[in-house]
Amino acid sequence: MHGDVKQNSIRNFSSLPTSGPLAGLVAGLNGAIKTGEQSSNAIGVRWDFYKSAALKVQIDRVSPRNGAGTLINVKPGYDGKDVTVYAAAVDFVF
């Protein structure tokens, strides 16, 4: 799989409330929308090793541009380098 996100203009929701109980949510939403350019590549396999069970493995390579891309909860000092994510799962039906 390959995916690419490119933003041509800054987007925010100025009509949303900036004070009150939703202020933090709105600030986070507007902050997340202003950044988010990245490309991603992924490869995965699935093996049905039993009639009601499957093993799935996936590797994702995320390449943020202009900061952290769409990554959330980024630690201070993150320098925008590529991130590799490994995932494995066993799905079953009982």
Side-chain angles (χ1 to χ4, degrees):
M1 173 202 66
H2 172 76
D4 191 73
V5 176
K6 182 178 178 186
Q7 185 172 323
N8 293 326
S9 62
I10 295 175
R11 297 184 188 1
N12 63 24
F13 297 100
S14 57
S15 62
L16 292 175
T18 56
S19 63
L22 297 178
L25 178 64
V26 172
L29 180 63
N30 281 334
I33 291 172
K34 292 178 185 176
T35 62
E37 293 188 9
Q38 71 181 34
S39 65
S40 302
N41 292 297
I43 188 166
V45 294
R46 174 187 170 128
W47 175 40
D48 293 327
F49 62 90
Y50 189 70
K51 65 181 180 179
S52 61
L55 172 67
K56 296 191 280 187
V57 178
Q58 181 171 325
I59 301 171
D60 295 81
R61 182 74 169 176
V62 180
S63 302
R65 294 189 297 267
N66 299 327
T70 59
L71 299 173
I72 58 172
N73 198 22
V74 178
K75 302 296 180 200
Y78 173 68
D79 57 4
K81 289 185 179 178
D82 293 356
V83 176
T84 303
V85 180
Y86 302 93
V90 175
D91 292 343
F92 58 93
V93 178
F94 54 94

